[in-house]
Amino acid sequence: MKIIADSSSLYSSKEAKEKGFTILPVSITMNGKSYKDYDEILPDALLSFMMQGAIPKSSQPAIGEILEAYTSTNEDILVLTVGDGLSGTYSNAVGAKQSLENNDYIHVVDTQTLAGAFHYIVDKANRLKNEGIPIEQIKTELQTSIQNSLSYVIPTNFTFLKR
């Protein structure tokens, strides 16, 4: 089984590869330049730009990258996305799946969260995969975690909240 998530899970592509799953980086654009989240820009640098007044804009992984990840394997794929209400990543992942014939091997899960809780869900899925747990049981266990998780965004001040 192959696990795919995006960098909203707080993983770089390199870290994910070392752990045995795939990360599709979110694109962050600031001051006219685009960066691959966690691969070309780290949180400290992003925060530094923001403290200097930059307003980052993020975009989900490109549909071509998603399709390439889907078609690069013959094994089951578990796709974990940042919360559907927070991003269009879930819709794109489902749309990419639907564009492929014989797509029953692709399982898309809306984690309904982001950041730390998303990181936890990706870790849990990877741990269960490595324990040899079947994909349907992994999805069931993840849904339990998703339903019992709460996430909070706490801005440091009203300027950050406005951004």
Side-chain angles (χ1 to χ4, degrees), residues 59-104:
S59 63
Q60 60 210 6
I63 194 82
E65 291 176 3
I66 297 169
L67 286 168
E68 182 178 328
Y70 287 0
T71 58
S72 67
T73 186
N74 292 326
E75 58 189 328
D76 281 334
I77 299 175
L78 179 62
V79 183
L80 303 171
T81 71
V82 66
D84 187 29
L86 304 168
S87 168
T89 305
Y90 175 77
S91 295
N92 262 7
V94 170
K97 172 185 174 171
Q98 292 172 343
S99 74
L100 299 173
E101 292 183 27
N102 304 318
N103 60 20
D104 292 341

Short mmCIF file of all heavy atoms in Angstrom, two decimals, residues 59-104:
data_model
loop_
_atom_site.label_atom_id
_atom_site.label_comp_id
_atom_site.label_asym_id
_atom_site.label_seq_id
_atom_site.Cartn_x
_atom_site.Cartn_y
_atom_site.Cartn_z
N SER A 59 -1.38 27.17 -2.73
CA SER A 59 -2.25 26.43 -3.64
C SER A 59 -1.93 24.96 -3.49
O SER A 59 -0.79 24.56 -3.24
CB SER A 59 -2.07 26.90 -5.08
OG SER A 59 -0.76 26.67 -5.53
N GLN A 60 -2.97 24.19 -3.64
CA GLN A 60 -2.87 22.74 -3.46
C GLN A 60 -1.95 22.12 -4.52
O GLN A 60 -1.64 22.76 -5.51
CB GLN A 60 -4.26 22.13 -3.54
CG GLN A 60 -4.93 22.40 -4.87
CD GLN A 60 -6.43 22.50 -4.76
OE1 GLN A 60 -6.98 22.47 -3.68
NE2 GLN A 60 -7.11 22.60 -5.87
N PRO A 61 -1.53 20.90 -4.29
CA PRO A 61 -0.70 20.23 -5.30
C PRO A 61 -1.41 20.21 -6.65
O PRO A 61 -2.64 20.07 -6.73
CB PRO A 61 -0.54 18.82 -4.74
CG PRO A 61 -0.72 18.98 -3.27
CD PRO A 61 -1.73 20.08 -3.10
N ALA A 62 -0.63 20.34 -7.71
CA ALA A 62 -1.19 20.37 -9.07
C ALA A 62 -1.82 19.02 -9.41
O ALA A 62 -1.34 17.97 -8.99
CB ALA A 62 -0.07 20.69 -10.07
N ILE A 63 -2.89 19.07 -10.17
CA ILE A 63 -3.61 17.85 -10.56
C ILE A 63 -2.68 16.88 -11.28
O ILE A 63 -2.78 15.66 -11.10
CB ILE A 63 -4.87 18.19 -11.39
CG1 ILE A 63 -5.80 16.98 -11.51
CG2 ILE A 63 -4.52 18.70 -12.75
CD1 ILE A 63 -6.68 16.79 -10.32
N GLY A 64 -1.75 17.39 -12.07
CA GLY A 64 -0.79 16.53 -12.77
C GLY A 64 0.08 15.75 -11.80
O GLY A 64 0.38 14.57 -12.02
N GLU A 65 0.49 16.40 -10.70
CA GLU A 65 1.30 15.72 -9.69
C GLU A 65 0.49 14.63 -9.00
O GLU A 65 1.01 13.56 -8.68
CB GLU A 65 1.82 16.72 -8.65
CG GLU A 65 2.85 17.68 -9.18
CD GLU A 65 3.27 18.72 -8.15
OE1 GLU A 65 2.82 18.66 -6.98
OE2 GLU A 65 4.06 19.60 -8.51
N ILE A 66 -0.79 14.92 -8.76
CA ILE A 66 -1.66 13.93 -8.12
C ILE A 66 -1.82 12.72 -9.04
O ILE A 66 -1.66 11.57 -8.61
CB ILE A 66 -3.03 14.55 -7.77
CG1 ILE A 66 -2.85 15.68 -6.74
CG2 ILE A 66 -3.98 13.48 -7.23
CD1 ILE A 66 -4.10 16.51 -6.52
N LEU A 67 -2.12 12.98 -10.30
CA LEU A 67 -2.30 11.88 -11.25
C LEU A 67 -1.02 11.06 -11.40
O LEU A 67 -1.07 9.83 -11.49
CB LEU A 67 -2.76 12.41 -12.61
CG LEU A 67 -4.21 12.86 -12.67
CD1 LEU A 67 -4.49 13.62 -13.96
CD2 LEU A 67 -5.16 11.66 -12.53
N GLU A 68 0.11 11.73 -11.44
CA GLU A 68 1.39 11.02 -11.55
C GLU A 68 1.60 10.11 -10.34
O GLU A 68 2.04 8.96 -10.48
CB GLU A 68 2.55 12.02 -11.66
CG GLU A 68 3.90 11.36 -11.84
CD GLU A 68 5.02 12.38 -12.00
OE1 GLU A 68 4.78 13.46 -12.56
OE2 GLU A 68 6.13 12.07 -11.52
N ALA A 69 1.27 10.60 -9.14
CA ALA A 69 1.40 9.78 -7.94
C ALA A 69 0.45 8.58 -7.99
O ALA A 69 0.81 7.48 -7.58
CB ALA A 69 1.14 10.62 -6.70
N TYR A 70 -0.76 8.80 -8.51
CA TYR A 70 -1.74 7.72 -8.60
C TYR A 70 -1.30 6.64 -9.59
O TYR A 70 -1.52 5.45 -9.37
CB TYR A 70 -3.10 8.24 -9.06
CG TYR A 70 -3.89 9.03 -8.04
CD1 TYR A 70 -3.42 9.28 -6.75
CD2 TYR A 70 -5.13 9.55 -8.38
CE1 TYR A 70 -4.17 10.01 -5.86
CE2 TYR A 70 -5.89 10.27 -7.48
CZ TYR A 70 -5.40 10.50 -6.22
OH TYR A 70 -6.15 11.22 -5.32
N THR A 71 -0.71 7.05 -10.69
CA THR A 71 -0.40 6.09 -11.76
C THR A 71 1.02 5.51 -11.64
O THR A 71 1.41 4.70 -12.47
CB THR A 71 -0.57 6.73 -13.15
OG1 THR A 71 0.26 7.90 -13.24
CG2 THR A 71 -2.02 7.12 -13.38
N SER A 72 1.75 5.91 -10.60
CA SER A 72 3.13 5.43 -10.45
C SER A 72 3.23 4.09 -9.73
O SER A 72 4.33 3.62 -9.47
CB SER A 72 3.96 6.48 -9.70
OG SER A 72 3.50 6.58 -8.36
N THR A 73 2.10 3.49 -9.40
CA THR A 73 2.12 2.24 -8.65
C THR A 73 0.93 1.37 -9.05
O THR A 73 -0.06 1.87 -9.57
CB THR A 73 2.08 2.52 -7.13
OG1 THR A 73 2.24 1.29 -6.43
CG2 THR A 73 0.78 3.18 -6.70
N ASN A 74 1.05 0.09 -8.77
CA ASN A 74 -0.05 -0.85 -9.00
C ASN A 74 -0.69 -1.29 -7.69
O ASN A 74 -1.60 -2.11 -7.69
CB ASN A 74 0.46 -2.08 -9.76
CG ASN A 74 0.86 -1.73 -11.17
OD1 ASN A 74 0.26 -0.87 -11.80
ND2 ASN A 74 1.88 -2.40 -11.68
N GLU A 75 -0.19 -0.77 -6.58
CA GLU A 75 -0.71 -1.18 -5.28
C GLU A 75 -1.83 -0.24 -4.83
O GLU A 75 -2.05 0.82 -5.42
CB GLU A 75 0.42 -1.22 -4.26
CG GLU A 75 1.15 0.09 -4.08
CD GLU A 75 2.41 -0.03 -3.23
OE1 GLU A 75 2.46 -0.87 -2.32
OE2 GLU A 75 3.35 0.72 -3.49
N ASP A 76 -2.54 -0.63 -3.78
CA ASP A 76 -3.56 0.24 -3.21
C ASP A 76 -2.92 1.55 -2.77
O ASP A 76 -1.77 1.57 -2.32
CB ASP A 76 -4.22 -0.41 -1.98
CG ASP A 76 -5.26 -1.45 -2.35
OD1 ASP A 76 -5.83 -1.35 -3.45
OD2 ASP A 76 -5.50 -2.35 -1.53
N ILE A 77 -3.69 2.63 -2.90
CA ILE A 77 -3.21 3.96 -2.50
C ILE A 77 -4.19 4.54 -1.49
O ILE A 77 -5.40 4.57 -1.71
CB ILE A 77 -3.12 4.92 -3.72
CG1 ILE A 77 -2.13 4.38 -4.75
CG2 ILE A 77 -2.71 6.31 -3.26
CD1 ILE A 77 -2.09 5.21 -6.02
N LEU A 78 -3.65 5.00 -0.37
CA LEU A 78 -4.42 5.71 0.64
C LEU A 78 -4.01 7.17 0.56
O LEU A 78 -2.86 7.52 0.84
CB LEU A 78 -4.14 5.14 2.03
CG LEU A 78 -4.86 5.81 3.19
CD1 LEU A 78 -6.38 5.67 3.05
CD2 LEU A 78 -4.39 5.21 4.52
N VAL A 79 -4.95 8.02 0.14
CA VAL A 79 -4.68 9.45 -0.02
C VAL A 79 -5.30 10.17 1.17
O VAL A 79 -6.50 10.10 1.39
CB VAL A 79 -5.28 9.99 -1.34
CG1 VAL A 79 -4.93 11.46 -1.52
CG2 VAL A 79 -4.84 9.15 -2.52
N LEU A 80 -4.46 10.88 1.91
CA LEU A 80 -4.92 11.64 3.07
C LEU A 80 -4.81 13.12 2.73
O LEU A 80 -3.74 13.59 2.36
CB LEU A 80 -4.05 11.31 4.29
CG LEU A 80 -4.01 9.82 4.65
CD1 LEU A 80 -2.96 9.55 5.71
CD2 LEU A 80 -5.38 9.34 5.10
N THR A 81 -5.93 13.84 2.85
CA THR A 81 -5.93 15.25 2.47
C THR A 81 -6.23 16.14 3.66
O THR A 81 -6.89 15.73 4.62
CB THR A 81 -6.98 15.56 1.37
OG1 THR A 81 -8.29 15.47 1.93
CG2 THR A 81 -6.84 14.61 0.19
N VAL A 82 -5.75 17.36 3.56
CA VAL A 82 -6.12 18.40 4.52
C VAL A 82 -7.64 18.56 4.45
O VAL A 82 -8.27 18.20 3.45
CB VAL A 82 -5.37 19.72 4.17
CG1 VAL A 82 -5.82 20.29 2.86
CG2 VAL A 82 -5.50 20.75 5.27
N GLY A 83 -8.24 19.06 5.50
CA GLY A 83 -9.69 19.16 5.59
C GLY A 83 -10.35 19.82 4.39
O GLY A 83 -9.88 20.85 3.90
N ASP A 84 -11.42 19.22 3.91
CA ASP A 84 -12.13 19.70 2.72
C ASP A 84 -12.60 21.15 2.87
O ASP A 84 -12.55 21.91 1.92
CB ASP A 84 -13.31 18.78 2.41
CG ASP A 84 -14.00 19.10 1.09
OD1 ASP A 84 -13.31 19.60 0.17
OD2 ASP A 84 -15.20 18.84 0.98
N GLY A 85 -13.02 21.55 4.03
CA GLY A 85 -13.48 22.92 4.24
C GLY A 85 -12.35 23.93 4.30
O GLY A 85 -12.58 25.13 4.28
N LEU A 86 -11.11 23.45 4.36
CA LEU A 86 -9.95 24.32 4.47
C LEU A 86 -9.20 24.49 3.17
O LEU A 86 -8.39 25.39 3.02
CB LEU A 86 -8.98 23.75 5.53
CG LEU A 86 -9.59 23.53 6.91
CD1 LEU A 86 -8.66 22.70 7.77
CD2 LEU A 86 -9.88 24.87 7.56
N SER A 87 -9.44 23.58 2.22
CA SER A 87 -8.70 23.56 0.97
C SER A 87 -9.49 22.78 -0.07
O SER A 87 -10.36 21.99 0.27
CB SER A 87 -7.34 22.88 1.22
OG SER A 87 -6.69 22.57 0.01
N GLY A 88 -9.12 22.96 -1.32
CA GLY A 88 -9.73 22.19 -2.40
C GLY A 88 -8.99 20.90 -2.67
O GLY A 88 -9.30 20.18 -3.63
N THR A 89 -8.01 20.56 -1.82
CA THR A 89 -7.19 19.38 -2.05
C THR A 89 -8.01 18.10 -2.09
O THR A 89 -7.79 17.23 -2.94
CB THR A 89 -6.08 19.26 -0.97
OG1 THR A 89 -5.34 20.48 -0.97
CG2 THR A 89 -5.15 18.11 -1.25
N TYR A 90 -8.96 17.97 -1.19
CA TYR A 90 -9.81 16.76 -1.18
C TYR A 90 -10.57 16.64 -2.50
O TYR A 90 -10.57 15.58 -3.12
CB TYR A 90 -10.77 16.80 0.01
CG TYR A 90 -11.75 15.65 0.01
CD1 TYR A 90 -11.35 14.37 0.41
CD2 TYR A 90 -13.07 15.83 -0.40
CE1 TYR A 90 -12.24 13.31 0.40
CE2 TYR A 90 -13.96 14.77 -0.41
CZ TYR A 90 -13.54 13.52 -0.01
OH TYR A 90 -14.44 12.47 -0.03
N SER A 91 -11.19 17.72 -2.94
CA SER A 91 -11.94 17.70 -4.20
C SER A 91 -11.04 17.35 -5.37
O SER A 91 -11.43 16.58 -6.26
CB SER A 91 -12.61 19.05 -4.45
OG SER A 91 -13.59 19.29 -3.47
N ASN A 92 -9.83 17.90 -5.39
CA ASN A 92 -8.88 17.59 -6.47
C ASN A 92 -8.47 16.13 -6.44
O ASN A 92 -8.34 15.48 -7.48
CB ASN A 92 -7.64 18.47 -6.38
CG ASN A 92 -7.72 19.65 -7.32
OD1 ASN A 92 -8.73 19.90 -7.96
ND2 ASN A 92 -6.64 20.39 -7.40
N ALA A 93 -8.24 15.60 -5.24
CA ALA A 93 -7.83 14.20 -5.10
C ALA A 93 -8.93 13.27 -5.60
O ALA A 93 -8.68 12.29 -6.30
CB ALA A 93 -7.46 13.89 -3.66
N VAL A 94 -10.18 13.59 -5.24
CA VAL A 94 -11.32 12.78 -5.70
C VAL A 94 -11.49 12.94 -7.21
O VAL A 94 -11.72 11.96 -7.93
CB VAL A 94 -12.60 13.17 -4.94
CG1 VAL A 94 -13.83 12.53 -5.56
CG2 VAL A 94 -12.49 12.79 -3.46
N GLY A 95 -11.38 14.16 -7.71
CA GLY A 95 -11.51 14.40 -9.15
C GLY A 95 -10.45 13.67 -9.95
O GLY A 95 -10.74 13.08 -11.00
N ALA A 96 -9.22 13.66 -9.45
CA ALA A 96 -8.14 12.92 -10.13
C ALA A 96 -8.45 11.43 -10.13
O ALA A 96 -8.26 10.75 -11.15
CB ALA A 96 -6.80 13.20 -9.45
N LYS A 97 -8.95 10.93 -9.02
CA LYS A 97 -9.32 9.51 -8.95
C LYS A 97 -10.39 9.20 -9.98
O LYS A 97 -10.29 8.22 -10.73
CB LYS A 97 -9.83 9.17 -7.54
CG LYS A 97 -10.42 7.77 -7.44
CD LYS A 97 -11.03 7.48 -6.09
CE LYS A 97 -11.72 6.12 -6.13
NZ LYS A 97 -12.16 5.68 -4.82
N GLN A 98 -11.42 10.03 -10.04
CA GLN A 98 -12.54 9.78 -10.95
C GLN A 98 -12.14 9.89 -12.42
O GLN A 98 -12.81 9.34 -13.28
CB GLN A 98 -13.70 10.73 -10.63
CG GLN A 98 -14.34 10.41 -9.30
CD GLN A 98 -15.36 11.44 -8.85
OE1 GLN A 98 -15.39 12.56 -9.34
NE2 GLN A 98 -16.19 11.06 -7.89
N SER A 99 -11.05 10.57 -12.70
CA SER A 99 -10.61 10.72 -14.08
C SER A 99 -9.89 9.46 -14.60
O SER A 99 -9.64 9.34 -15.80
CB SER A 99 -9.68 11.92 -14.23
OG SER A 99 -8.41 11.66 -13.68
N LEU A 100 -9.58 8.56 -13.69
CA LEU A 100 -8.88 7.33 -14.06
C LEU A 100 -9.86 6.16 -14.14
O LEU A 100 -10.76 6.04 -13.31
CB LEU A 100 -7.79 7.00 -13.03
CG LEU A 100 -6.68 8.03 -12.88
CD1 LEU A 100 -5.78 7.65 -11.70
CD2 LEU A 100 -5.86 8.13 -14.16
N GLU A 101 -9.65 5.29 -15.11
CA GLU A 101 -10.45 4.06 -15.19
C GLU A 101 -9.91 3.09 -14.15
O GLU A 101 -8.76 3.17 -13.74
CB GLU A 101 -10.35 3.46 -16.59
CG GLU A 101 -11.02 4.31 -17.65
CD GLU A 101 -10.98 3.65 -19.02
OE1 GLU A 101 -10.92 2.41 -19.09
OE2 GLU A 101 -10.99 4.40 -20.01
N ASN A 102 -10.76 2.16 -13.74
CA ASN A 102 -10.35 1.14 -12.77
C ASN A 102 -9.64 1.76 -11.57
O ASN A 102 -8.51 1.43 -11.25
CB ASN A 102 -9.45 0.09 -13.45
CG ASN A 102 -10.12 -0.54 -14.64
OD1 ASN A 102 -11.30 -0.87 -14.59
ND2 ASN A 102 -9.38 -0.70 -15.72
N ASN A 103 -10.34 2.67 -10.90
CA ASN A 103 -9.73 3.46 -9.82
C ASN A 103 -10.05 2.93 -8.42
O ASN A 103 -9.84 3.63 -7.44
CB ASN A 103 -10.15 4.92 -9.95
CG ASN A 103 -11.66 5.09 -9.86
OD1 ASN A 103 -12.37 4.22 -9.36
ND2 ASN A 103 -12.16 6.20 -10.35
N ASP A 104 -10.53 1.71 -8.33
CA ASP A 104 -10.92 1.16 -7.03
C ASP A 104 -9.75 1.02 -6.06
O ASP A 104 -9.95 0.86 -4.86
CB ASP A 104 -11.59 -0.20 -7.20
CG ASP A 104 -12.95 -0.10 -7.89
OD1 ASP A 104 -13.51 1.02 -7.92
OD2 ASP A 104 -13.42 -1.12 -8.41
#
